[in-house]
Amino acid sequence: MTIQGIYEVCVGCREPISLIQYWEQFGYRIGQIGELSPESANKLYGVNSSLHSIRLYHQDADHGLIRLMVWGNPTNDGLKMSLMKAKGNRWATALTADVLNILNHAEEAEKAGLPVKYIYPQWDVIYNKERKMRPFAEPAIGVREMVLLQPLTRQFFFQRFNYNVPNYGKINEISHFKTSQITHMGIVIQDDSRETFRFYEETLGLLRVRNEEETTYESSETARQIFDLQPNERFSVTTFDDPRSSKSDWRAVRSGRLYIVRFPESIKIENCLEKAQPGCLGMSLYTYRVTEIEEYLQRVKASSAQNLTEIAYNEFGEQSFSFVAPDGYFWTLISHLQKRM
């Protein structure tokens, strides 16, 4: 059995035209189109509504795609621009060669009175944090990372400076915002038992790369802004990769990563899980592609996952099944090999 990096970020909407135009600015293009009846959508996604979906491709990427899910009868308005410190929070991150261009648009959108929230690009050192550089004498090696929230999209963007990771994001140079496919996706959980981690590692077979790296209010100005950390609060970050990625060599890691931000159960955070599942508007579902989907179904059945469906054809004619992971997040697995003609 094999699993790859996260395949799609699915965005619920009432009409797709404006979103297609939006994602085209980030280098995406229309790929596949499909439909499901209310009965079939209810069988696979638990939503009694007609569904029309559009899969958006990004160059030749085999992961980090976008699926627009146009619901005839949406369940609710989704996460909209709620705080990041909430269970149910989903977001998508992409590499860019021009983060200031994205910032320019965010500032102009705000001036125009459009619904938008953003955090100015923050400097961060991702790798080799212990290294001390000499300003104005040596290259500054790190990233500028910004957050952009809109009613139907929750995005992070990062721009690298003075280093490269060849398999972690391929920029579409002719796109307006010079961005890559989605390189990683995030969720927020509260699970002191760490059962969630065992599920993603042992049941789904993902590669655990970063393990419980702790961030505190005192240690990170960026985390204070993004996750509204208060004094004495903290969270840890654990990441799960495509099994072909690398634990030992950061230059060999692959995109398609799942970021899990875990807050201790002692910290009070909002529960928004009902606003981040199929049927909701906005970013409401992630998918993985797998081989031997029947074996994955049996593995998930043997786990503590809930609301497991049987294998059914999705709107693109691909064998799929859905479930709710132990952390409360809804997932769909898609067969990499089998497709109904």
Side-chain angles (χ1 to χ4, degrees), residues 78-91 117 119 147 149 154 156 188 224-230 263 268-272 275 329:
L79 295 166
K80 300 183 77 172
M81 295 184 292
S82 58
L83 294 175
M84 298 291 292
K85 189 167 68 175
K87 287 185 288 186
N89 181 21
R90 296 179 185 262
W91 65 92
K117 292 181 182 178
I119 294 176
V147 180
L149 303 181
R154 303 170 69 80
F156 281 44
V188 170
R224 285 182 232 169
Q225 293 195 44
I226 295 175
F227 289 103
D228 189 35
L229 276 187
Q230 300 301 308
F263 282 89
K268 185 177 180 180
I269 66 175
E270 190 176 358
N271 187 338
C272 296
K275 298 179 181 180
Y329 284 85

PDB file of all heavy atoms in Angstrom, residues 78-91 117 119 147 149 154 156 188 224-230 263 268-272 275 329:
ATOM      1  N   GLY A  78     -19.300  28.105   6.823  1.00  0.00           N
ATOM      2  CA  GLY A  78     -17.925  27.691   7.040  1.00  0.00           C
ATOM      3  C   GLY A  78     -17.159  28.552   8.020  1.00  0.00           C
ATOM      4  O   GLY A  78     -17.723  29.334   8.790  1.00  0.00           O
ATOM      5  N   LEU A  79     -15.837  28.421   7.985  1.00  0.00           N
ATOM      6  CA  LEU A  79     -14.959  29.102   8.935  1.00  0.00           C
ATOM      7  C   LEU A  79     -14.899  30.607   8.714  1.00  0.00           C
ATOM      8  O   LEU A  79     -14.600  31.358   9.639  1.00  0.00           O
ATOM      9  CB  LEU A  79     -13.542  28.528   8.829  1.00  0.00           C
ATOM     10  CG  LEU A  79     -13.376  27.064   9.244  1.00  0.00           C
ATOM     11  CD1 LEU A  79     -12.027  26.531   8.775  1.00  0.00           C
ATOM     12  CD2 LEU A  79     -13.502  26.915  10.756  1.00  0.00           C
ATOM     13  N   LYS A  80     -15.136  31.032   7.472  1.00  0.00           N
ATOM     14  CA  LYS A  80     -15.021  32.442   7.095  1.00  0.00           C
ATOM     15  C   LYS A  80     -13.662  32.984   7.555  1.00  0.00           C
ATOM     16  O   LYS A  80     -12.643  32.432   7.227  1.00  0.00           O
ATOM     17  CB  LYS A  80     -16.214  33.230   7.623  1.00  0.00           C
ATOM     18  CG  LYS A  80     -17.545  32.701   7.065  1.00  0.00           C
ATOM     19  CD  LYS A  80     -18.732  33.502   7.506  1.00  0.00           C
ATOM     20  CE  LYS A  80     -18.852  34.802   6.741  1.00  0.00           C
ATOM     21  NZ  LYS A  80     -20.114  35.497   7.044  1.00  0.00           N
ATOM     22  N   MET A  81     -13.647  34.052   8.371  1.00  0.00           N
ATOM     23  CA  MET A  81     -12.366  34.628   8.798  1.00  0.00           C
ATOM     24  C   MET A  81     -12.184  34.509  10.303  1.00  0.00           C
ATOM     25  O   MET A  81     -11.645  35.402  10.957  1.00  0.00           O
ATOM     26  CB  MET A  81     -12.259  36.076   8.321  1.00  0.00           C
ATOM     27  CG  MET A  81     -12.216  36.189   6.810  1.00  0.00           C
ATOM     28  SD  MET A  81     -11.974  37.869   6.209  1.00  0.00           S
ATOM     29  CE  MET A  81     -13.537  38.612   6.704  1.00  0.00           C
ATOM     30  N   SER A  82     -12.616  33.373  10.856  1.00  0.00           N
ATOM     31  CA  SER A  82     -12.483  33.142  12.285  1.00  0.00           C
ATOM     32  C   SER A  82     -11.026  33.003  12.679  1.00  0.00           C
ATOM     33  O   SER A  82     -10.150  32.817  11.841  1.00  0.00           O
ATOM     34  CB  SER A  82     -13.262  31.885  12.687  1.00  0.00           C
ATOM     35  OG  SER A  82     -12.792  30.765  11.968  1.00  0.00           O
ATOM     36  N   LEU A  83     -10.777  33.070  13.959  1.00  0.00           N
ATOM     37  CA  LEU A  83      -9.411  33.001  14.471  1.00  0.00           C
ATOM     38  C   LEU A  83      -8.756  31.675  14.133  1.00  0.00           C
ATOM     39  O   LEU A  83      -9.413  30.649  13.976  1.00  0.00           O
ATOM     40  CB  LEU A  83      -9.413  33.205  15.987  1.00  0.00           C
ATOM     41  CG  LEU A  83      -9.833  34.589  16.496  1.00  0.00           C
ATOM     42  CD1 LEU A  83      -9.894  34.577  18.012  1.00  0.00           C
ATOM     43  CD2 LEU A  83      -8.864  35.655  16.006  1.00  0.00           C
ATOM     44  N   MET A  84      -7.418  31.700  14.061  1.00  0.00           N
ATOM     45  CA  MET A  84      -6.658  30.488  13.768  1.00  0.00           C
ATOM     46  C   MET A  84      -6.634  29.530  14.951  1.00  0.00           C
ATOM     47  O   MET A  84      -6.477  28.323  14.771  1.00  0.00           O
ATOM     48  CB  MET A  84      -5.227  30.862  13.381  1.00  0.00           C
ATOM     49  CG  MET A  84      -5.103  31.725  12.134  1.00  0.00           C
ATOM     50  SD  MET A  84      -5.533  30.842  10.627  1.00  0.00           S
ATOM     51  CE  MET A  84      -4.179  29.678  10.533  1.00  0.00           C
ATOM     52  N   LYS A  85      -6.784  30.042  16.151  1.00  0.00           N
ATOM     53  CA  LYS A  85      -6.715  29.198  17.350  1.00  0.00           C
ATOM     54  C   LYS A  85      -8.082  28.567  17.606  1.00  0.00           C
ATOM     55  O   LYS A  85      -8.839  28.985  18.486  1.00  0.00           O
ATOM     56  CB  LYS A  85      -6.255  30.010  18.569  1.00  0.00           C
ATOM     57  CG  LYS A  85      -5.961  29.151  19.800  1.00  0.00           C
ATOM     58  CD  LYS A  85      -5.221  29.930  20.891  1.00  0.00           C
ATOM     59  CE  LYS A  85      -6.052  31.000  21.523  1.00  0.00           C
ATOM     60  NZ  LYS A  85      -5.357  31.661  22.637  1.00  0.00           N
ATOM     61  N   ALA A  86      -8.401  27.540  16.789  1.00  0.00           N
ATOM     62  CA  ALA A  86      -9.698  26.887  16.904  1.00  0.00           C
ATOM     63  C   ALA A  86      -9.607  25.480  16.342  1.00  0.00           C
ATOM     64  O   ALA A  86      -8.998  25.256  15.296  1.00  0.00           O
ATOM     65  CB  ALA A  86     -10.754  27.684  16.144  1.00  0.00           C
ATOM     66  N   LYS A  87     -10.229  24.529  17.021  1.00  0.00           N
ATOM     67  CA  LYS A  87     -10.354  23.178  16.473  1.00  0.00           C
ATOM     68  C   LYS A  87     -11.270  23.248  15.246  1.00  0.00           C
ATOM     69  O   LYS A  87     -12.316  23.884  15.288  1.00  0.00           O
ATOM     70  CB  LYS A  87     -10.930  22.223  17.519  1.00  0.00           C
ATOM     71  CG  LYS A  87      -9.961  21.873  18.623  1.00  0.00           C
ATOM     72  CD  LYS A  87     -10.531  20.832  19.569  1.00  0.00           C
ATOM     73  CE  LYS A  87     -11.632  21.409  20.443  1.00  0.00           C
ATOM     74  NZ  LYS A  87     -12.087  20.435  21.472  1.00  0.00           N
ATOM     75  N   GLY A  88     -10.862  22.595  14.182  1.00  0.00           N
ATOM     76  CA  GLY A  88     -11.590  22.691  12.934  1.00  0.00           C
ATOM     77  C   GLY A  88     -10.907  23.609  11.945  1.00  0.00           C
ATOM     78  O   GLY A  88     -11.201  23.563  10.747  1.00  0.00           O
ATOM     79  N   ASN A  89      -9.981  24.425  12.414  1.00  0.00           N
ATOM     80  CA  ASN A  89      -9.270  25.346  11.532  1.00  0.00           C
ATOM     81  C   ASN A  89      -8.494  24.579  10.461  1.00  0.00           C
ATOM     82  O   ASN A  89      -7.775  23.628  10.764  1.00  0.00           O
ATOM     83  CB  ASN A  89      -8.313  26.206  12.360  1.00  0.00           C
ATOM     84  CG  ASN A  89      -7.544  27.208  11.521  1.00  0.00           C
ATOM     85  OD1 ASN A  89      -7.944  27.558  10.417  1.00  0.00           O
ATOM     86  ND2 ASN A  89      -6.434  27.674  12.055  1.00  0.00           N
ATOM     87  N   ARG A  90      -8.679  24.970   9.219  1.00  0.00           N
ATOM     88  CA  ARG A  90      -7.920  24.413   8.092  1.00  0.00           C
ATOM     89  C   ARG A  90      -7.305  25.568   7.321  1.00  0.00           C
ATOM     90  O   ARG A  90      -7.925  26.619   7.169  1.00  0.00           O
ATOM     91  CB  ARG A  90      -8.827  23.643   7.132  1.00  0.00           C
ATOM     92  CG  ARG A  90      -9.500  22.391   7.682  1.00  0.00           C
ATOM     93  CD  ARG A  90     -10.377  21.790   6.592  1.00  0.00           C
ATOM     94  NE  ARG A  90     -11.175  20.657   7.017  1.00  0.00           N
ATOM     95  CZ  ARG A  90     -10.852  19.391   6.827  1.00  0.00           C
ATOM     96  NH1 ARG A  90      -9.701  19.085   6.244  1.00  0.00           N
ATOM     97  NH2 ARG A  90     -11.649  18.410   7.218  1.00  0.00           N
ATOM     98  N   TRP A  91      -6.099  25.358   6.799  1.00  0.00           N
ATOM     99  CA  TRP A  91      -5.483  26.369   5.956  1.00  0.00           C
ATOM    100  C   TRP A  91      -4.557  25.701   4.950  1.00  0.00           C
ATOM    101  O   TRP A  91      -4.195  24.540   5.089  1.00  0.00           O
ATOM    102  CB  TRP A  91      -4.719  27.407   6.779  1.00  0.00           C
ATOM    103  CG  TRP A  91      -3.528  26.867   7.514  1.00  0.00           C
ATOM    104  CD1 TRP A  91      -2.223  26.824   7.080  1.00  0.00           C
ATOM    105  CD2 TRP A  91      -3.507  26.293   8.838  1.00  0.00           C
ATOM    106  NE1 TRP A  91      -1.406  26.267   8.037  1.00  0.00           N
ATOM    107  CE2 TRP A  91      -2.163  25.933   9.125  1.00  0.00           C
ATOM    108  CE3 TRP A  91      -4.487  26.063   9.802  1.00  0.00           C
ATOM    109  CZ2 TRP A  91      -1.800  25.359  10.329  1.00  0.00           C
ATOM    110  CZ3 TRP A  91      -4.115  25.482  11.003  1.00  0.00           C
ATOM    111  CH2 TRP A  91      -2.785  25.137  11.257  1.00  0.00           C
ATOM    112  N   LYS A 117      -8.549  39.674   6.046  1.00  0.00           N
ATOM    113  CA  LYS A 117      -7.646  39.855   7.190  1.00  0.00           C
ATOM    114  C   LYS A 117      -6.286  39.328   6.764  1.00  0.00           C
ATOM    115  O   LYS A 117      -6.199  38.343   6.035  1.00  0.00           O
ATOM    116  CB  LYS A 117      -8.121  39.086   8.428  1.00  0.00           C
ATOM    117  CG  LYS A 117      -9.396  39.586   9.053  1.00  0.00           C
ATOM    118  CD  LYS A 117      -9.741  38.752  10.282  1.00  0.00           C
ATOM    119  CE  LYS A 117     -11.049  39.202  10.919  1.00  0.00           C
ATOM    120  NZ  LYS A 117     -11.414  38.359  12.095  1.00  0.00           N
ATOM    121  N   ILE A 119      -1.818  39.124   7.952  1.00  0.00           N
ATOM    122  CA  ILE A 119      -0.696  39.395   8.852  1.00  0.00           C
ATOM    123  C   ILE A 119       0.505  39.716   7.991  1.00  0.00           C
ATOM    124  O   ILE A 119       0.841  38.973   7.061  1.00  0.00           O
ATOM    125  CB  ILE A 119      -0.412  38.195   9.771  1.00  0.00           C
ATOM    126  CG1 ILE A 119      -1.587  37.979  10.731  1.00  0.00           C
ATOM    127  CG2 ILE A 119       0.881  38.389  10.549  1.00  0.00           C
ATOM    128  CD1 ILE A 119      -1.447  36.758  11.612  1.00  0.00           C
ATOM    129  N   VAL A 147      -0.064  35.594   6.371  1.00  0.00           N
ATOM    130  CA  VAL A 147      -1.365  34.940   6.445  1.00  0.00           C
ATOM    131  C   VAL A 147      -2.379  35.825   5.735  1.00  0.00           C
ATOM    132  O   VAL A 147      -2.354  37.050   5.877  1.00  0.00           O
ATOM    133  CB  VAL A 147      -1.796  34.723   7.909  1.00  0.00           C
ATOM    134  CG1 VAL A 147      -3.151  34.035   7.977  1.00  0.00           C
ATOM    135  CG2 VAL A 147      -0.750  33.922   8.664  1.00  0.00           C
ATOM    136  N   LEU A 149      -6.582  35.767   5.126  1.00  0.00           N
ATOM    137  CA  LEU A 149      -7.878  35.151   5.366  1.00  0.00           C
ATOM    138  C   LEU A 149      -8.954  35.903   4.594  1.00  0.00           C
ATOM    139  O   LEU A 149      -9.029  37.136   4.664  1.00  0.00           O
ATOM    140  CB  LEU A 149      -8.225  35.167   6.864  1.00  0.00           C
ATOM    141  CG  LEU A 149      -7.236  34.509   7.828  1.00  0.00           C
ATOM    142  CD1 LEU A 149      -7.758  34.602   9.250  1.00  0.00           C
ATOM    143  CD2 LEU A 149      -6.973  33.061   7.451  1.00  0.00           C
ATOM    144  N   ARG A 154      -8.320  30.390   3.284  1.00  0.00           N
ATOM    145  CA  ARG A 154      -7.459  30.608   4.443  1.00  0.00           C
ATOM    146  C   ARG A 154      -6.062  30.175   4.004  1.00  0.00           C
ATOM    147  O   ARG A 154      -5.769  28.991   3.920  1.00  0.00           O
ATOM    148  CB  ARG A 154      -7.942  29.797   5.647  1.00  0.00           C
ATOM    149  CG  ARG A 154      -9.384  30.116   6.037  1.00  0.00           C
ATOM    150  CD  ARG A 154      -9.943  29.155   7.053  1.00  0.00           C
ATOM    151  NE  ARG A 154      -9.339  29.295   8.354  1.00  0.00           N
ATOM    152  CZ  ARG A 154      -9.656  30.227   9.244  1.00  0.00           C
ATOM    153  NH1 ARG A 154     -10.573  31.139   8.958  1.00  0.00           N
ATOM    154  NH2 ARG A 154      -9.064  30.281  10.419  1.00  0.00           N
ATOM    155  N   PHE A 156      -1.648  30.649   3.799  1.00  0.00           N
ATOM    156  CA  PHE A 156      -0.328  31.110   4.205  1.00  0.00           C
ATOM    157  C   PHE A 156       0.519  31.180   2.934  1.00  0.00           C
ATOM    158  O   PHE A 156       0.364  30.357   2.032  1.00  0.00           O
ATOM    159  CB  PHE A 156       0.347  30.124   5.163  1.00  0.00           C
ATOM    160  CG  PHE A 156      -0.113  30.194   6.592  1.00  0.00           C
ATOM    161  CD1 PHE A 156      -1.452  30.287   6.920  1.00  0.00           C
ATOM    162  CD2 PHE A 156       0.816  30.133   7.619  1.00  0.00           C
ATOM    163  CE1 PHE A 156      -1.867  30.316   8.240  1.00  0.00           C
ATOM    164  CE2 PHE A 156       0.416  30.163   8.948  1.00  0.00           C
ATOM    165  CZ  PHE A 156      -0.930  30.256   9.255  1.00  0.00           C
ATOM    166  N   VAL A 188      -5.704  22.206  13.505  1.00  0.00           N
ATOM    167  CA  VAL A 188      -5.492  22.477  14.921  1.00  0.00           C
ATOM    168  C   VAL A 188      -6.236  21.419  15.725  1.00  0.00           C
ATOM    169  O   VAL A 188      -7.410  21.139  15.451  1.00  0.00           O
ATOM    170  CB  VAL A 188      -5.997  23.882  15.297  1.00  0.00           C
ATOM    171  CG1 VAL A 188      -5.996  24.079  16.805  1.00  0.00           C
ATOM    172  CG2 VAL A 188      -5.134  24.954  14.630  1.00  0.00           C
ATOM    173  N   ARG A 224       2.401  34.528  18.194  1.00  0.00           N
ATOM    174  CA  ARG A 224       1.457  35.382  18.921  1.00  0.00           C
ATOM    175  C   ARG A 224       0.449  36.003  17.971  1.00  0.00           C
ATOM    176  O   ARG A 224      -0.745  36.077  18.264  1.00  0.00           O
ATOM    177  CB  ARG A 224       2.204  36.497  19.657  1.00  0.00           C
ATOM    178  CG  ARG A 224       2.948  36.052  20.901  1.00  0.00           C
ATOM    179  CD  ARG A 224       3.598  37.233  21.564  1.00  0.00           C
ATOM    180  NE  ARG A 224       5.015  36.996  21.812  1.00  0.00           N
ATOM    181  CZ  ARG A 224       5.879  37.923  22.188  1.00  0.00           C
ATOM    182  NH1 ARG A 224       5.477  39.171  22.347  1.00  0.00           N
ATOM    183  NH2 ARG A 224       7.143  37.612  22.404  1.00  0.00           N
ATOM    184  N   GLN A 225       0.947  36.452  16.830  1.00  0.00           N
ATOM    185  CA  GLN A 225       0.064  37.109  15.877  1.00  0.00           C
ATOM    186  C   GLN A 225      -0.847  36.111  15.162  1.00  0.00           C
ATOM    187  O   GLN A 225      -2.044  36.351  15.011  1.00  0.00           O
ATOM    188  CB  GLN A 225       0.894  37.878  14.837  1.00  0.00           C
ATOM    189  CG  GLN A 225       1.655  39.059  15.412  1.00  0.00           C
ATOM    190  CD  GLN A 225       2.143  39.987  14.307  1.00  0.00           C
ATOM    191  OE1 GLN A 225       1.423  40.298  13.380  1.00  0.00           O
ATOM    192  NE2 GLN A 225       3.383  40.422  14.419  1.00  0.00           N
ATOM    193  N   ILE A 226      -0.275  34.995  14.706  1.00  0.00           N
ATOM    194  CA  ILE A 226      -1.052  34.055  13.904  1.00  0.00           C
ATOM    195  C   ILE A 226      -2.066  33.292  14.752  1.00  0.00           C
ATOM    196  O   ILE A 226      -3.239  33.159  14.372  1.00  0.00           O
ATOM    197  CB  ILE A 226      -0.117  33.069  13.181  1.00  0.00           C
ATOM    198  CG1 ILE A 226       0.749  33.817  12.157  1.00  0.00           C
ATOM    199  CG2 ILE A 226      -0.918  31.969  12.487  1.00  0.00           C
ATOM    200  CD1 ILE A 226       1.781  32.953  11.467  1.00  0.00           C
ATOM    201  N   PHE A 227      -1.652  32.800  15.914  1.00  0.00           N
ATOM    202  CA  PHE A 227      -2.508  31.946  16.723  1.00  0.00           C
ATOM    203  C   PHE A 227      -3.010  32.608  17.999  1.00  0.00           C
ATOM    204  O   PHE A 227      -3.511  31.925  18.895  1.00  0.00           O
ATOM    205  CB  PHE A 227      -1.777  30.642  17.062  1.00  0.00           C
ATOM    206  CG  PHE A 227      -1.608  29.734  15.872  1.00  0.00           C
ATOM    207  CD1 PHE A 227      -0.391  29.640  15.219  1.00  0.00           C
ATOM    208  CD2 PHE A 227      -2.679  28.994  15.391  1.00  0.00           C
ATOM    209  CE1 PHE A 227      -0.232  28.818  14.111  1.00  0.00           C
ATOM    210  CE2 PHE A 227      -2.524  28.162  14.291  1.00  0.00           C
ATOM    211  CZ  PHE A 227      -1.309  28.078  13.642  1.00  0.00           C
ATOM    212  N   ASP A 228      -2.880  33.919  18.069  1.00  0.00           N
ATOM    213  CA  ASP A 228      -3.417  34.663  19.207  1.00  0.00           C
ATOM    214  C   ASP A 228      -2.953  34.064  20.536  1.00  0.00           C
ATOM    215  O   ASP A 228      -3.729  33.908  21.488  1.00  0.00           O
ATOM    216  CB  ASP A 228      -4.952  34.682  19.139  1.00  0.00           C
ATOM    217  CG  ASP A 228      -5.571  35.614  20.172  1.00  0.00           C
ATOM    218  OD1 ASP A 228      -4.966  36.662  20.463  1.00  0.00           O
ATOM    219  OD2 ASP A 228      -6.648  35.270  20.706  1.00  0.00           O
ATOM    220  N   LEU A 229      -1.668  33.701  20.606  1.00  0.00           N
ATOM    221  CA  LEU A 229      -1.127  33.158  21.842  1.00  0.00           C
ATOM    222  C   LEU A 229      -1.133  34.218  22.937  1.00  0.00           C
ATOM    223  O   LEU A 229      -0.753  35.368  22.706  1.00  0.00           O
ATOM    224  CB  LEU A 229       0.298  32.653  21.629  1.00  0.00           C
ATOM    225  CG  LEU A 229       0.506  31.246  21.083  1.00  0.00           C
ATOM    226  CD1 LEU A 229       1.984  30.903  21.107  1.00  0.00           C
ATOM    227  CD2 LEU A 229      -0.285  30.217  21.848  1.00  0.00           C
ATOM    228  N   GLN A 230      -1.523  33.807  24.125  1.00  0.00           N
ATOM    229  CA  GLN A 230      -1.518  34.673  25.289  1.00  0.00           C
ATOM    230  C   GLN A 230      -0.351  34.281  26.212  1.00  0.00           C
ATOM    231  O   GLN A 230       0.226  33.199  26.072  1.00  0.00           O
ATOM    232  CB  GLN A 230      -2.838  34.545  26.045  1.00  0.00           C
ATOM    233  CG  GLN A 230      -4.055  34.920  25.197  1.00  0.00           C
ATOM    234  CD  GLN A 230      -3.980  36.344  24.682  1.00  0.00           C
ATOM    235  OE1 GLN A 230      -3.772  37.290  25.444  1.00  0.00           O
ATOM    236  NE2 GLN A 230      -4.130  36.515  23.369  1.00  0.00           N
ATOM    237  N   PHE A 263      -2.679  22.110  20.628  1.00  0.00           N
ATOM    238  CA  PHE A 263      -2.760  22.885  21.863  1.00  0.00           C
ATOM    239  C   PHE A 263      -3.054  21.943  23.026  1.00  0.00           C
ATOM    240  O   PHE A 263      -3.812  20.971  22.868  1.00  0.00           O
ATOM    241  CB  PHE A 263      -3.881  23.920  21.779  1.00  0.00           C
ATOM    242  CG  PHE A 263      -3.531  25.141  20.968  1.00  0.00           C
ATOM    243  CD1 PHE A 263      -3.770  25.179  19.607  1.00  0.00           C
ATOM    244  CD2 PHE A 263      -2.955  26.247  21.577  1.00  0.00           C
ATOM    245  CE1 PHE A 263      -3.451  26.291  18.853  1.00  0.00           C
ATOM    246  CE2 PHE A 263      -2.626  27.372  20.841  1.00  0.00           C
ATOM    247  CZ  PHE A 263      -2.878  27.404  19.475  1.00  0.00           C
ATOM    248  N   LYS A 268      -8.248  26.841  26.688  1.00  0.00           N
ATOM    249  CA  LYS A 268      -9.583  26.942  26.122  1.00  0.00           C
ATOM    250  C   LYS A 268      -9.508  27.514  24.709  1.00  0.00           C
ATOM    251  O   LYS A 268      -9.037  28.628  24.506  1.00  0.00           O
ATOM    252  CB  LYS A 268     -10.481  27.817  26.989  1.00  0.00           C
ATOM    253  CG  LYS A 268     -11.922  27.866  26.502  1.00  0.00           C
ATOM    254  CD  LYS A 268     -12.798  28.681  27.434  1.00  0.00           C
ATOM    255  CE  LYS A 268     -14.240  28.706  26.924  1.00  0.00           C
ATOM    256  NZ  LYS A 268     -15.120  29.497  27.832  1.00  0.00           N
ATOM    257  N   ILE A 269      -9.931  26.727  23.719  1.00  0.00           N
ATOM    258  CA  ILE A 269     -10.001  27.223  22.352  1.00  0.00           C
ATOM    259  C   ILE A 269     -11.365  26.873  21.770  1.00  0.00           C
ATOM    260  O   ILE A 269     -12.030  25.944  22.214  1.00  0.00           O
ATOM    261  CB  ILE A 269      -8.872  26.660  21.450  1.00  0.00           C
ATOM    262  CG1 ILE A 269      -9.009  25.159  21.246  1.00  0.00           C
ATOM    263  CG2 ILE A 269      -7.500  27.004  22.027  1.00  0.00           C
ATOM    264  CD1 ILE A 269      -7.982  24.592  20.261  1.00  0.00           C
ATOM    265  N   GLU A 270     -11.773  27.611  20.752  1.00  0.00           N
ATOM    266  CA  GLU A 270     -13.078  27.433  20.146  1.00  0.00           C
ATOM    267  C   GLU A 270     -13.117  26.129  19.349  1.00  0.00           C
ATOM    268  O   GLU A 270     -12.119  25.701  18.776  1.00  0.00           O
ATOM    269  CB  GLU A 270     -13.373  28.618  19.222  1.00  0.00           C
ATOM    270  CG  GLU A 270     -14.792  28.678  18.700  1.00  0.00           C
ATOM    271  CD  GLU A 270     -15.068  29.919  17.865  1.00  0.00           C
ATOM    272  OE1 GLU A 270     -14.139  30.750  17.735  1.00  0.00           O
ATOM    273  OE2 GLU A 270     -16.188  30.045  17.351  1.00  0.00           O
ATOM    274  N   ASN A 271     -14.299  25.506  19.296  1.00  0.00           N
ATOM    275  CA  ASN A 271     -14.498  24.294  18.503  1.00  0.00           C
ATOM    276  C   ASN A 271     -15.307  24.661  17.262  1.00  0.00           C
ATOM    277  O   ASN A 271     -16.495  24.994  17.349  1.00  0.00           O
ATOM    278  CB  ASN A 271     -15.228  23.233  19.326  1.00  0.00           C
ATOM    279  CG  ASN A 271     -15.300  21.890  18.595  1.00  0.00           C
ATOM    280  OD1 ASN A 271     -15.181  21.818  17.376  1.00  0.00           O
ATOM    281  ND2 ASN A 271     -15.488  20.814  19.341  1.00  0.00           N
ATOM    282  N   CYS A 272     -14.663  24.598  16.088  1.00  0.00           N
ATOM    283  CA  CYS A 272     -15.310  24.958  14.823  1.00  0.00           C
ATOM    284  C   CYS A 272     -15.385  23.778  13.863  1.00  0.00           C
ATOM    285  O   CYS A 272     -15.503  23.969  12.646  1.00  0.00           O
ATOM    286  CB  CYS A 272     -14.548  26.112  14.156  1.00  0.00           C
ATOM    287  SG  CYS A 272     -14.559  27.654  15.078  1.00  0.00           S
ATOM    288  N   LYS A 275     -17.903  23.554  11.102  1.00  0.00           N
ATOM    289  CA  LYS A 275     -17.811  24.535  10.020  1.00  0.00           C
ATOM    290  C   LYS A 275     -16.707  24.186   9.022  1.00  0.00           C
ATOM    291  O   LYS A 275     -16.436  24.968   8.115  1.00  0.00           O
ATOM    292  CB  LYS A 275     -17.539  25.920  10.601  1.00  0.00           C
ATOM    293  CG  LYS A 275     -18.637  26.431  11.516  1.00  0.00           C
ATOM    294  CD  LYS A 275     -18.292  27.802  12.071  1.00  0.00           C
ATOM    295  CE  LYS A 275     -19.380  28.313  12.999  1.00  0.00           C
ATOM    296  NZ  LYS A 275     -19.042  29.657  13.549  1.00  0.00           N
ATOM    297  N   TYR A 329     -11.531  15.578  12.343  1.00  0.00           N
ATOM    298  CA  TYR A 329     -11.463  16.122  10.986  1.00  0.00           C
ATOM    299  C   TYR A 329     -11.950  15.091   9.973  1.00  0.00           C
ATOM    300  O   TYR A 329     -11.634  13.902  10.074  1.00  0.00           O
ATOM    301  CB  TYR A 329     -10.037  16.550  10.639  1.00  0.00           C
ATOM    302  CG  TYR A 329      -9.642  17.844  11.304  1.00  0.00           C
ATOM    303  CD1 TYR A 329      -9.133  17.857  12.597  1.00  0.00           C
ATOM    304  CD2 TYR A 329      -9.797  19.064  10.646  1.00  0.00           C
ATOM    305  CE1 TYR A 329      -8.779  19.038  13.224  1.00  0.00           C
ATOM    306  CE2 TYR A 329      -9.444  20.256  11.262  1.00  0.00           C
ATOM    307  CZ  TYR A 329      -8.945  20.244  12.552  1.00  0.00           C
ATOM    308  OH  TYR A 329      -8.598  21.422  13.166  1.00  0.00           O
TER     309      TYR A 329
END
